[in-house]
Amino acid sequence: MILGTDCVRPLLLALPLLGLLAASATAAGLPAYAPDANAPRSAVPEVYRWDLSALLESDEAFERARLALLAELPKLSGFEERLADPKSLAACLDLYFRLHRDANALTLYANLRQSTALSQDRANAMVQQSLATMDELMRAAAFIRREVLRMPAGTLEAALAAEPGLAGFRAYLGNLRRRADRLLSPDAERALSLLGDNLWAEIDLNEIPSPLEDAFGALLTDIPWPSIRDEQGREVQLNLANYTLYRQSPDREVRRAAVAGLFGSLRQYQHALAATLSGQVKLDVGYARARGYDTAVEAYLDKDDVDVAVYDNLVRTVNASLPLLHRYVELRKKVLGLPDVYLHDLYIPLVPGVEKKIPFAEARTLIEGALKPLGPEYGAVLAMGLDPANGWLDLYPHQDKRSGAFSSSVYGAHPYVFMNYLDSLDDMSTLAHEYGHALHSHLAMKAQSYPDFRYPPFLAEVAATCNEMLLSDHMVARATDPAERAYLLVNRLEDIRTTIFRQTMFAEFERAVHQLVEAGTPLTAALLEQTYSEIVKRYYGPGYTFGPDDGMEWAYIPHFYYKYYVYSYATGLASGIAIAERVREQGEPAVKAYLGMLSGGCSEPPLVLLEKAGVDLTTAAPIEAAMRAFERTLDEVEALLAAR
C-alpha cells in the first residue's frame, strides 16, 4: 500500500515572516510556477517532477528487471524441504529477501509512474505486471512460511544460535512463529496465496492492492466531475485534486457547489461504489475467517502485533469527548454568523483576513525551521529531501495526476514524496506530514537490514503527525498579533478535528461495515449511506446541519480499502502530540528516544518501540491527553475571539 493522506490539514501562517521569506524563491534558484490542476504534466517545470532513476532508469529497464527477477524465481524451489538445515535456511532467506526487495522496486516504480499518468495504458500495464510478479514471488516462497512454522521451537532457536547468517532474520522469524496457529494445510495455503492473501507480515508497506481497490480507483478516475464557478465567477473543472481547495473557499456558494458537485456525482455511481467497497469488506472478512480469526479487526491488527484494545481505547475515549467537538461546531456557527453549519462550513478559517498563500519555497524554509528541534542529522536529510533538484518530490498537480499526497519508499533508494501543492497554507502542513513519513523510512533504512526496516502501518502516522505538531508549535510561538494567534490555534483545533475526531469517525464506520458483513448483512448503497450518516450526525452533534448528499462521503475515501489502517491516523496524532510535548520539555533525551523509535523499523513490536519513545497506547492516556489539548486550545480560542 502506498502511504497516503486524504485528511484536511490545518491552515498555518506566521504573518511577520511572509515579507522576509518573499525572496526565498529567488534565493533557492527555483523557477516560478503558478499551480494549475488542469495543466498537462509537460507544463510543470522538470525540477518539480520526481526522478525515478533511483529505482529504475526507464520503462525498458523495468521490463528487463521484471524478466530477470522471474528468471531467478526457480532458484527458491531448490531450498524446499531443506530449511531444517540452518545454512540452507540462511541462504534461502538471503535469496528471498533480495528478490522481495527487487520486486518492491518494480511495484514502487510502476505505482509512481501511474500516479502521474492515470490514463496511460503503459503505466497501468506496468502496475499489473509488477503486481503479478510479486504474486509469483509470494507463491514461489510460500514453502518458507510453511517449513519454518513446522519446525519445533527448540529447533529454530538452536539454528539461530548456531548459524550467524540467521542473525538478521531473527525478528522476521519470530513474527512468523508468533502466529503459527494461523497456518493452514498446504492446499489451503496455496489457495489463499493464489487469491492474494494479505494477512502475513512478509508483505511490506508497498502492499499489493486488491482488485476491488484497483476497481475503486479506476471508477473514481472515470467519473465525469462537474464544473463549478470559482470566486471570480469563472467556470472551473472540479476534480479530486482541487476539491479540497474549493471546499475551503471563503465564498460560501463556491464551497457549497464543490461539496454538492462531488457528492452529487458520487451518488450517480453509488451502486458501483457500494459494490467495490462491499467486495473489499467481504474479502477482508474472508481472509480473517480463513485464518481462524473471529473478526477482521482482530486479524488486521494482529498482523501488526497490535492489541484490539488500542482500537477500542481510541473509539471509547473519543466518543466520551464528543461534547468538545459539538462545542467547537457551535463556536463555528456563532463566529461565522451562520444560521446553520454544513459540511462545507467546517473547513474555512474562523479569523478572516489573515490567511495567505505560502508558495513552496517559503513552505520549505518554514518546515526546516520548525523541525530544527529534531537535531542536525534529521535536519540535514530533511533539507536534502525538500530540495526538488534531488528528485524526491513530485510537487504540483496536473491533468491525469492522482489526487492527495503520500510518501513511499523501497530499500536502497531515497524515499519519494507525492504532492498536489496549490500554494495553500494547508499544503504546507501536508508537506511536513509527508516528509515525516519520508524521514521515518530513511532512518529505518539506515539503521536496519531489509527484513527489519519496514515499519508497520500502525507506526507510520506518528512521525508524520509529530512533524505537523512541531510546525504548528513553531508558528504559534512566533505569533505576536492576537488575530494571528487565534487563527493558528483554530487550525490546531482543525488538525485534531480532522485527524483524531474525523479519522476515528471513519474507523467506526469501517468497523461497522465489517460487522455487518460478519453478521451476514448485504452492504447496499442505501445501508452504507445510512450507517455513515448516523455516525456523522452523532459526531458533529445538534449544531450541525446534515446536507442531502453528505451521506455519500464514504464513497470516495480510499482508506476504507486499506484494511483497518485509518485508525492509525488518530492514534498517530495523539502519539505525535505527546512526543512533540516531550521534545519541547525534555530536549535531547526525548529526541534521542524518538529518533530511536523511527530507526527501529519492525525490529521490535510496534507498541514496544512506541513505549520507548514515551507513549503507551495500550492505555487511554495518550488519547485523553490529546483531548485535553483540544479543550485547552478551544478555551483559548473562545477567549481570543470573544475579546475581538
Side-chain angles (χ1 to χ4, degrees), residues 45 70 94 129 156 165 175 221 224-225 266 295 333 391 396 412 415 445 479 505 507 520 531 538 601 607 633 636 640:
L70 290 172
D94 277 334
Q129 288 173 323
L156 184 58
N175 202 35
T221 299
W225 306 108
L266 291 171
T295 63
K333 180 188 292 187
Y396 291 116
M445 210 180 302
M505 181 179 79
T531 303
R538 172 162 51 86
L607 290 172
T633 307
E636 184 174 356
L640 285 168

Side-chain angles (χ1 to χ4, degrees), residues 373-604:
L374 297 181
E377 178 188 359
Y378 192 99
V381 179
L382 176 68
M384 177 174 64
L386 276 170
D387 184 347
N390 290 323
W392 293 33
L393 179 61
D394 204 271
L395 184 61
Y396 291 116
H398 57 74
Q399 288 176 351
D400 219 24
K401 184 174 182 178
R402 176 181 164 176
S403 64
F406 64 80
S407 173
S408 199
S409 63
V410 67
Y411 198 82
H414 63 69
Y416 284 90
V417 173
F418 176 97
M419 289 288 299
N420 279 281
Y421 199 88
L422 287 167
D423 288 356
S424 78
L425 306 173
D426 176 65
D427 291 331
M428 178 172 66
S429 189
T430 301
L431 190 66
H433 178 104
E434 297 308 332
Y435 273 89
H437 289 311
L439 269 289
H440 192 175
S441 296
H442 169 85
L443 291 170
M445 210 180 302
K446 181 179 177 182
Q448 304 295 334
S449 63
Y450 180 67
D452 289 346
F453 100 98
R454 296 163 292 155
Y455 53 87
F458 174 72
L459 291 181
E461 296 305 320
V462 177
T465 54
C466 183
N467 275 13
E468 287 188 89
M469 290 310 301
L470 289 171
L471 179 59
S472 176
D473 291 343
H474 181 69
M475 299 302 190
V476 171
R478 302 175 80 98
T480 56
D481 178 71
E484 178 190 349
R485 184 174 180 86
Y487 181 86
L488 293 168
L489 290 172
V490 166
N491 286 290
R492 180 174 292 177
L493 293 175
E494 277 296 281
D495 199 13
I496 297 174
R497 177 184 75 81
T498 57
T499 308
I500 296 184
F501 284 109
R502 186 172 184 249
Q503 300 302 319
T504 304
M505 181 179 79
F506 285 171
E508 280 206 59
F509 174 74
E510 183 176 18
R511 194 171 192 178
V513 297
H514 280 81
Q515 288 173 333
L516 286 167
V517 168
E518 287 160 354
T521 304
L523 290 184
T524 63
L527 181 57
L528 288 166
E529 182 175 4
Q530 176 188 342
T531 303
Y532 187 79
S533 299
E534 289 172 355
I535 295 172
V536 171
K537 291 173 183 177
R538 172 162 51 86
Y539 265 70
Y540 287 124
Y544 176 77
T545 302
F546 198 76
D549 289 323
D550 284 6
M552 288 303 305
E553 188 177 30
W554 64 266
Y556 89 107
I557 306 298
H559 302 78
F560 295 147
Y561 294 79
Y562 295 173
K563 304 105 182 171
Y564 283 101
Y565 178 76
V566 72
Y567 84 100
S568 65
Y569 284 112
T571 56
L573 179 56
S575 302
I577 290 171
I579 290 169
E581 288 180 354
R582 282 170 55 86
V583 167
R584 284 196 305 272
E585 294 169 1
Q586 300 177 19
E588 186 176 351
V591 171
K592 184 177 180 181
Y594 174 53
L595 297 184
M597 185 212 85
L598 297 185
S599 300
C602 60
S603 60
E604 294 183 88

Side-chain angles (χ1 to χ4, degrees), residues 28-188:
L30 296 173
Y33 180 69
D36 181 359
N38 293 308
R41 183 167 178 79
S42 59
V44 179
E46 187 174 359
V47 71
Y48 298 126
R49 295 180 257 158
W50 52 28
D51 178 4
L52 301 186
S53 63
L55 298 170
L56 291 163
E57 287 291 339
S58 63
D59 293 356
E60 292 71 27
F62 168 91
E63 183 62 12
R64 290 193 298 271
R66 185 181 72 85
L67 294 175
L69 192 155
L70 290 172
E72 284 203 84
L73 290 186
K75 293 180 181 178
L76 282 169
S77 63
F79 291 99
E80 198 160 356
E81 301 301 333
R82 294 176 50 205
L83 300 190
D85 172 59
K87 289 192 179 299
S88 292
L89 178 59
C92 179
L93 292 178
D94 277 334
L95 175 61
Y96 166 64
F97 278 106
R98 178 173 63 80
L99 295 175
H100 195 278
R101 182 191 62 207
D102 293 345
N104 264 330
L106 290 173
T107 59
L108 182 56
Y109 178 86
N111 281 323
L112 296 184
R113 277 275 286 108
Q114 184 197 48
S115 67
T116 61
L118 291 174
S119 65
Q120 188 182 103
D121 289 342
R122 176 58 182 144
N124 291 323
M126 284 194 297
V127 169
Q128 297 306 314
Q129 288 173 323
S130 68
L131 297 180
T133 302
M134 180 64 87
D135 281 341
E136 290 291 328
L137 171 60
M138 301 312 293
R139 282 194 287 270
F143 73 91
I144 298 174
R145 181 174 67 222
R146 183 172 64 248
E147 291 189 33
V148 167
L149 295 182
R150 206 165 57 197
M151 292 179 190
T155 300
L156 184 58
E157 285 302 318
L160 285 164
E163 174 51 52
L166 287 174
F169 304 112
R170 179 176 289 276
Y172 164 76
L173 292 168
N175 202 35
L176 278 184
R177 298 286 303 183
R178 180 177 63 82
R179 296 189 294 153
D181 59 340
R182 305 299 175 182
L183 184 70
L184 307 178
S185 70
D187 286 344

Side-chain angles (χ1 to χ4, degrees), residues 330-387:
E330 293 288 356
L331 177 65
R332 278 193 159 268
K333 180 188 292 187
K334 177 182 177 181
V335 173
L336 294 172
L338 297 173
D340 38 38
V341 171
Y342 287 88
L343 184 145
H344 55 261
D345 299 316
L346 291 178
Y347 297 94
I348 59 169
L350 290 183
V351 185
V354 295
E355 64 274 12
K356 295 184 184 296
K357 288 189 175 183
I358 297 287
F360 167 72
E362 297 180 9
R364 177 179 163 189
T365 303
L366 289 169
I367 291 169
E368 290 177 9
L371 301 186
K372 277 186 178 180
L374 297 181
E377 178 188 359
Y378 192 99
V381 179
L382 176 68
M384 177 174 64
L386 276 170
D387 184 347

